Amino acid sequence: MNPFLQKFFPEVYRKKQHAHENNYCKYDSQLLASFTSSLYLAGLVASLVASPITRNYGRRTSIICGGVSFLVGATLNAAAQNFAMLLLGRIMLGVGIGFGNQAIPLYLSEMAPAHLRGALNMMFQLATTLGIFTANMINYGTEKLNPWGWRLSLGLAAVPALLMTVGGLFLPETPNSLVERGNIEEGRRILEKIRGTENVNAEFQDIVDASELAKAIKHPFRNILEKRNRPQLVMAICMPTFQILTGINSILFYAPVLFQSMGFGGSASLYSSALTGAVLASSTFISIATVDKLGRRVLLISGGIQMVICQCIVAVILGVKFGNNQELSKGFSVLVVTVICLFVVAFGWSWGPLGWTIPSEIFALETRSAGQSITVAVNLLFTFIIGQAFLALLCTFKFGIFLFFAGWITIMTIFVYVFLPETKGVPIEEMILMWRKHWFWKKTLPAYPELDESNGRESNSMEMGAR
């Protein structure tokens, strides 16, 4: 919004007003990029701090901490009088993201029954995409409220922050966390309540056994580096890395910049970005409906193929029809938005939700909070890097930026095909056996004779869980 740029980023505002300029470079400002990406750097640090809090004080406590941080950040941003105040508010929002992203997928995985875990965990991604769409619509609606529309836009973040904080006070703690912290009877009571039956002996015993093992682990971050946890650690690093290297974050939080660079007017660019937000939110329902039927691998691989095709089409259109001091014709503009929407659809039912679901469900209880922290930290690290570099990359690579991301999507699709086993229907406490059956990972894991001897019995248990 122009009043926002005039107050905090006057250099960008001046470049934006130029009649003749490089279409790809008009927003290339490290200060603007720093403001955008500071949120993710703060979230990275906060996610690491959140791990011991989540483990020692419960998932619910971390969720409440995240809500309070969001509330403070929204208030500072709405009332900002200078760049420092604006940046501090942005950092507090990042702290909220660090705590929320660390605790919420963990909470959902532990509360869900195995046969619904994938779909319920994707409610996290659905809520995220609905938030993005809502934010885009708020930006579109407040754009004309000069000169204070941006304050209302940023300040309305306090509404979901308040819901998250107050809602967190009423959430029950997960049975896994209660048992891990010694509240055995309370843990069983909550498990019976959320399952709707008193017949929870087998699942509860799994939680107790996993908890006893977890208590013997005093240093989960050190333990996660052990060879027996190598597959989970690789996935905790690679899944969020690849999720960001799809380029989705660049398209979503720089959508107005991207569309304006392509020659769309201010209102048209906000409308187009709102459209992509709506598409992302709606496509998540596809994943929720199919993830526990088709499985994780099918969605990831098919989504990757569709995203590569879309990125290449956009690159070709911009490379042939769009250059310096030019605007796309109406027909090609519609085509670009359509293809970007198809890209967002593919992300919304594949790497978007599954980039969070898979890391949250593959760790043993002893390393689960540490593993989730690593997942969030890696995600936010690469979000920060791409956020900080995107405007410069757009200026340097021009239309080639889409080919850059297409190359990464190709790599990650091959990675899933080769290295990721199917986790559909596998009880969360029995994931260790899944890695021991995979053609590659079974060669790297140390021998556990007691597990190998009971492999047949556990395999039967896994099959029953899948059914």
Side-chain angles (χ1 to χ4, degrees):
M1 299 180 191
N2 285 338
F4 177 78
L5 292 177
Q6 283 177 293
K7 185 172 181 65
F8 299 108
F9 305 97
E11 179 190 352
V12 177
Y13 177 75
R14 286 193 297 271
K15 288 168 70 176
K16 182 181 174 182
Q17 304 309 309
H18 289 172
H20 300 286
E21 56 196 330
N22 186 325
N23 281 314
Y24 293 100
C25 296
K26 64 173 79 173
Y27 291 98
D28 186 16
S29 164
Q30 285 305 301
L31 190 65
L32 179 60
S34 297
F35 165 69
T36 303
S37 59
S38 61
L39 178 143
Y40 303 99
L41 187 61
L44 188 161
V45 176
S47 67
L48 298 176
V49 174
S51 176
I53 293 175
T54 302
R55 187 181 189 196
N56 297 326
Y57 299 99
R59 285 54 165 152
R60 178 172 164 267
T61 300
S62 283
I63 291 171
I64 294 170
C65 288
V68 171
S69 299
F70 275 126
L71 201 55
V72 172
T75 303
L76 284 171
N77 273 351
Q81 296 300 317
N82 50 55
F83 181 75
M85 195 172 174
L86 188 73
L87 187 62
L88 181 59
R90 185 80 171 166
I91 289 171
M92 289 305 297
L93 291 175
V95 171
I97 282 182
F99 274 89
N101 282 7
Q102 204 278 338
I104 293 170
L106 208 59
Y107 185 92
L108 293 172
S109 286
E110 292 180 346
M111 294 295 268
H115 68 287
L116 294 175
R117 189 177 63 242
L120 289 176
N121 212 312
M122 285 181 179
M123 297 300 287
F124 174 75
Q125 175 68 9
L126 176 62
T128 301
T129 56
L130 288 174
I132 292 169
F133 172 64
T134 304
N136 281 329
M137 293 308 295
I138 288 170
N139 285 340
Y140 183 67
T142 57
E143 184 202 11
K144 303 299 184 185
L145 301 176
N146 290 327
W148 52 272
W150 65 269
R151 291 191 186 275
L152 179 61
S153 175
L154 295 177
L156 283 174
V159 175
L162 191 62
L163 288 172
M164 181 174 171
T165 306
V166 176
L169 296 173
F170 292 94
L171 286 176
E173 187 54 85
T174 70
N176 307 64
S177 179
L178 289 167
V179 170
E180 187 179 13
R181 291 181 287 137
N183 300 320
I184 308 294
E185 293 303 318
E186 179 67 8
R188 185 181 179 91
R189 186 185 71 79
I190 294 295
L191 185 62
E192 290 177 356
K193 182 179 179 181
I194 62 177
R195 296 293 181 258
T197 177
E198 294 183 359
N199 185 22
V200 294
N201 293 334
E203 184 178 1
F204 185 70
Q205 190 58 49
D206 278 346
I207 294 172
V208 171
D209 292 343
S211 175
E212 290 175 357
L213 178 60
K215 287 178 181 176
I217 306 301
K218 301 300 181 184
H219 305 286
F221 277 102
R222 188 185 305 167
N223 185 61
I224 208 171
L225 297 175
E226 293 181 5
K227 191 174 182 179
R228 63 192 177 92
N229 292 316
R230 188 72 46 79
Q232 297 96 314
L233 180 61
V234 169
M235 293 302 159
I237 293 172
C238 290
M239 292 300 290
T241 299
F242 288 144
Q243 185 189 52
I244 300 307
L245 288 175
T246 60
I248 187 67
N249 283 51
S250 301
I251 287 175
L252 290 179
F253 61 68
Y254 283 121
V257 170
L258 199 60
F259 287 124
Q260 284 185 23
S261 292
M262 293 176 190
F264 290 67
S267 295
S269 69
L270 284 173
Y271 181 78
S272 298
S273 63
L275 177 63
T276 58
V279 167
L280 180 61
S282 59
S283 64
T284 308
F285 286 103
I286 300 174
S287 195
I288 292 172
T290 58
V291 65
D292 289 314
K293 296 177 182 177
L294 300 178
R296 281 65 161 159
R297 281 169 50 90
V298 170
L299 295 182
L300 288 171
I301 293 170
S302 58
I305 293 170
Q306 183 172 325
M307 284 190 288
V308 169
I309 294 171
C310 291
Q311 293 275 34
C312 291
I313 291 173
V314 173
V316 170
I317 292 172
L318 296 183
V320 174
K321 296 293 183 179
F322 186 62
N324 291 347
N325 307 316
Q326 292 179 330
E327 291 188 3
L328 287 174
S329 66
K330 184 177 180 180
F332 279 107
S333 296
V334 170
L335 181 58
V336 166
V337 172
T338 302
V339 175
I340 286 179
C341 284
L342 289 173
F343 167 84
V344 171
V345 165
F347 179 86
W349 53 257
S350 61
W351 280 88
L354 289 171
W356 292 109
T357 299
I358 290 171
S360 73
E361 67 184 5
I362 61 175
F363 283 96
L365 184 60
E366 62 190 89
T367 54
R368 197 168 296 157
S369 63
Q372 186 64 19
S373 281
I374 291 172
T375 299
V376 175
V378 171
N379 179 285
L380 293 172
L381 173 63
F382 278 87
T383 304
F384 167 75
I385 291 170
I386 294 297
Q388 186 67 33
F390 178 74
L391 294 177
L393 288 174
L394 181 63
C395 183
T396 303
F397 288 171
K398 300 179 173 56
F399 64 88
I401 189 72
F402 293 95
L403 297 177
F404 171 78
F405 289 126
W408 281 109
I409 298 169
T410 303
I411 292 170
M412 71 196 207
T413 303
I414 295 171
F415 173 88
V416 167
Y417 181 80
V418 175
F419 295 111
L420 180 67
E422 182 55 66
T423 61
K424 179 187 70 171
V426 180
I428 198 168
E429 307 305 336
E430 298 177 9
M431 287 287 177
I432 181 64
L433 296 173
M434 174 192 68
W435 302 107
R436 292 186 170 278
K437 293 179 177 180
H438 188 267
W439 73 271
F440 177 80
W441 296 116
K442 68 181 181 182
K443 300 175 185 177
T444 67
L445 292 170
Y448 277 99
E450 67 276 12
L451 279 178
D452 295 333
E453 289 172 8
S454 61
N455 193 44
R457 176 172 56 82
E458 296 286 2
S459 296
N460 291 335
S461 174
M462 287 173 67
E463 290 171 7
M464 290 175 65
R467 289 197 293 270

